[in-house]
Amino acid sequence: MDPVIVVGAGPVGLTLSLALARQGVPSVVLDEGPGKDEQRPARTVVLREDTAALVERLTGPAFDGIGTRWTGWRSLRRKQEMRALTFGEPGAPMPAPLHVAQHDLTGALRAAVAHERLIKVAVDSRLDSIEEERTGLTAHTRGPKGTWWRGSYLVGCDGPRSTVRKLLDIRFPGRTAVERHAVAALRTELPWPGEALLHRSPPWRTSGPSGSEVVGRPLADGVWRLDWLLPPRSDLVTPDVLVTRIRETLAGWCGGSTPPYELLDTGVHTVHHRLARRWRVGRAFLAGDAAHLLGALGTQGLDEGLRDADNLAWKLALAWHEGPRPVPGTLLDSYQAERRAVVAGRLRAADQALPILRGGGGLRSYVPGSARGHDALLTDGHLGHGPLGAPGAYADSPLAPERTESQVEVGTAPGAPIADVRVTAPDGSFARLRDRLGLGQLLVVLVAPGTGVWERKHWVSAGLMPRLAAAVTALPHEAELLVAESYPEAAAHTVLLIRPDGHLVTALSGVRPAELYEAARTALGGPAPDGEPVESAAGA
């Protein structure tokens, strides 16, 4: 089989190529640049728990020491503290986000790619044409080493101005300049070391364009990224205006006098909201900013791009390992069905919240509790919770099995990302459940209280285990059997079936071989009624 062609060597494209390699699939990454990334301290990303775990799993040692995890979150309005959260302590309400400069993230991904024999990076290679055939496609690049590349599938991870999207003639409707922010990266000391903060309507607004909101987010080595929300249709942000804004903000946070600071980088960040009409055309797909743009109200578009890569990788790997014969159309079509629906929901939530949060006073300013409600919405966006930021669930996916009488409810809804509990692996070692993801196999987890205190040899052949092991062996795809002493809201002897990307397929009460098999078959796209895989015409 020919390799998968990945167009674009940003974080999403590199993540996809690494995820494919972990599942034994070769890829060619077409990088239109020289293979190096410009260092811009003011261009940073915030990774949530699931996306940070994905990148760490794929990069290994290259990810050590990258970025910084916030110790807390603080919300202010005028001179009043609205909310304060602490991360990383026992019983903390949520995990700490990871804040990292994008060039550091890309550098860690490039370092991992350099050690992966299944990935070839072609620099100075700009795509200019795609030709698809029944068993593959061909892409042509121009540049010093312009050539034809033969591939089994192609994924456009080439950003907002995606050449792949244009060559596929896919519309990209949406809204332009939903929000604009002046951005600065600087090294200084603030009263809240390690804490991110959101300050709405700060009392020191004296020069403009000022906006009504400033966010401070710590990075490593005493560096902070500050973002000022700009008013609609505001004038250009000149260097003098930005320096004035920096000095006023630092003085307002530090008791009236501006502390020493070193300005490292500046910029203006414009947020657009767009969603591609289609994410698949035959053997070609879109992912990341090529498929969607979002980022208002503190949300992070890169988070969704990394989730695109995680969702698509195991499906392409399964299709690739099938060889040249067609694969079930449902499996590949489900990428668009699942991911586009989640991002569309995120954009709808932002569009509904924007008039409320950015409406500018009126009667809403006098409604009791409205300020705290607004703060909660913004906090959700910044910290990755609620409709603005929580990882999406695929409850209505075409890969979701029908509900049965044996299905039980646990702390994770079907289609949602699993909780990262401790499990016992087949070799008897302990691991985190998320560490077993990304290898293209299904996971079957038995909830068995008490097994954590006994050696595996004492319980592996007792009770339900022999029958469950036999059922797992008989599944239509490779699966790994794990044991967890507990799982949120799960009773003893609950059996969880988990997709390769960490989303729950179903939870069953006890060992139900036939139902487990049927759920696995559906989660893999399922064969046609005659038992032979048939390629879907959808999206072709």
Side-chain angles (χ1 to χ4, degrees):
M1 280 284 286
D2 294 311
V4 173
I5 299 174
V6 178
V7 184
V12 175
L14 296 173
T15 296
L16 177 61
S17 66
L18 284 168
L20 289 170
R22 295 298 185 271
Q23 299 170 64
V25 178
S27 61
V28 173
V29 180
L30 303 182
D31 184 356
E32 68 174 52
K36 298 180 180 179
D37 299 285
E38 181 184 7
Q39 294 202 4
R40 291 292 308 275
R43 189 178 186 187
T44 67
V45 295
V46 180
L47 300 182
R48 319 303 184 192
E49 183 183 20
D50 62 318
T51 50
L54 168 65
V55 174
E56 186 172 9
R57 191 167 62 242
L58 293 174
T59 57
F63 201 62
D64 292 344
I66 296 294
T68 186
R69 291 193 180 273
W70 301 337
T71 60
W73 169 266
R74 190 179 299 267
S75 298
L76 308 172
R77 185 170 186 267
R78 298 193 177 98
K79 297 181 180 181
Q80 180 183 6
E81 183 177 284
M82 306 294 290
R83 191 176 187 185
L85 300 171
T86 301
F87 304 129
E89 294 183 350
M94 58 188 70
L98 179 68
H99 191 200
V100 57
Q102 185 162 319
H103 62 263
D104 286 339
L105 173 63
T106 307
L109 291 165
R110 286 190 185 276
V113 164
H115 291 89
E116 182 53 68
R117 62 178 181 82
L118 290 177
I119 302 175
K120 174 181 175 60
V121 178
V123 300
D124 298 319
S125 297
R126 182 176 178 82
L127 180 75
D128 62 11
S129 68
I130 303 171
E131 296 180 7
E132 182 172 343
E133 303 164 9
R134 184 177 180 276
T135 59
L137 43 75
T138 305
H140 184 265
T141 56
R142 66 173 184 265
K145 299 179 181 179
T147 187
W148 291 95
W149 301 90
R150 179 70 181 171
S152 54
Y153 298 94
L154 181 144
V155 186
C157 306
D158 49 343
R161 296 180 175 85
S162 170
T163 300
V164 173
R165 190 183 63 242
K166 294 172 183 176
L167 291 174
L168 298 177
D169 195 25
I170 296 175
R171 293 183 59 200
F172 198 40
R175 300 170 60 195
T176 300
V178 176
E179 287 187 348
R180 293 175 65 243
H181 298 261
V183 182
L186 50 91
R187 182 175 285 109
T188 189
E189 291 186 11
L190 293 180
W192 313 280
E195 293 186 13
L197 68 148
L198 164 69
H199 200 156
R200 302 180 66 217
S201 303
W204 60 81
R205 294 180 295 146
T206 58
S207 63
S210 61
S212 59
E213 183 178 298
V214 57
V215 178
R217 288 173 281 201
L219 284 157
D221 301 323
V223 176
W224 290 78
R225 168 173 165 166
L226 304 187
D227 291 62
W228 293 267
L229 177 67
L230 299 174
R233 297 176 296 278
S234 61
D235 296 332
L236 293 175
V237 182
T238 65
D240 288 344
V241 167
L242 186 56
V243 169
T244 301
R245 179 55 44 199
I246 291 171
R247 295 181 63 83
E248 290 175 349
T249 300
L250 296 183
W253 284 343
C254 298
S257 60
T258 303
Y261 70 90
E262 178 187 2
L263 184 59
L264 304 175
D265 190 21
T266 63
V268 174
H269 175 53
T270 302
V271 176
H272 308 292
H273 278 182
R274 296 188 179 277
L275 186 65
R277 292 288 190 191
R278 291 180 293 169
W279 291 25
R280 178 193 179 192
V281 176
R283 291 178 173 269
F285 301 81
L286 299 178
D289 287 351
H292 50 75
L293 294 176
L294 68 161
L297 308 180
T299 58
Q300 294 282 315
L302 181 59
D303 256 352
E304 297 302 340
L306 296 178
R307 290 166 184 152
D308 294 343
D310 199 23
N311 183 289
L312 182 58
W314 73 271
K315 297 171 182 178
L316 282 181
L318 192 61
W320 190 90
H321 285 297
E322 286 289 330
R325 59 181 181 146
V327 299
T330 303
L331 181 66
L332 296 181
D333 289 343
S334 71
Y335 166 67
Q336 172 176 311
E338 292 177 347
R339 292 299 307 147
R340 191 178 188 279
V342 165
V343 175
R346 189 87 75 233
L347 289 171
R348 282 194 300 270
D351 286 342
Q352 292 167 0
L354 274 166
I356 299 172
L357 294 171
R358 309 303 193 209
L363 290 176
R364 284 189 296 270
S365 300
Y366 301 95
V367 176
S370 63
R372 293 194 179 277
H374 295 176
D375 173 77
L377 272 174
L378 284 167
T379 297
D380 279 349
H382 281 281
L383 300 185
H385 293 269
L388 287 177
Y394 309 137
D396 298 324
S397 167
L399 305 184
E402 294 183 4
R403 186 176 180 86
T404 66
E405 293 183 359
S406 302
Q407 185 173 332
V408 294
E409 293 185 1
V410 297
T412 301
I418 47 93
D420 190 23
V421 299
R422 191 177 82 154
V423 295
T424 303
D427 62 1
S429 63
F430 294 114
R432 304 302 301 182
L433 183 50
R434 275 208 185 102
D435 291 340
R436 314 305 292 186
L437 300 174
L439 299 176
Q441 59 191 3
L442 298 168
L443 300 181
V444 178
V445 179
L446 172 66
V447 180
T451 53
V453 300
W454 299 99
E455 291 186 28
R456 183 174 182 271
K457 64 182 181 181
H458 294 306
W459 49 259
V460 70
S461 60
L464 302 175
M465 283 299 293
R467 187 165 179 241
L468 180 57
V472 170
T473 302
L475 290 178
H477 184 63
E478 182 182 358
E480 182 177 44
L481 176 57
L482 304 167
V483 177
E485 188 161 351
S486 64
Y487 190 88
E489 300 178 38
H493 301 158
T494 299
V495 175
L496 310 176
L497 178 64
I498 301 168
R499 300 186 345 175
D501 59 354
H503 287 253
L504 181 67
V505 177
T506 189
L508 302 174
S509 62
V511 181
R512 313 278 178 170
E515 293 179 30
L516 188 65
Y517 183 94
E518 182 61 24
R521 185 193 68 82
T522 304
L524 298 169
D530 62 0
E532 289 297 325
V534 177
E535 177 69 59
S536 166

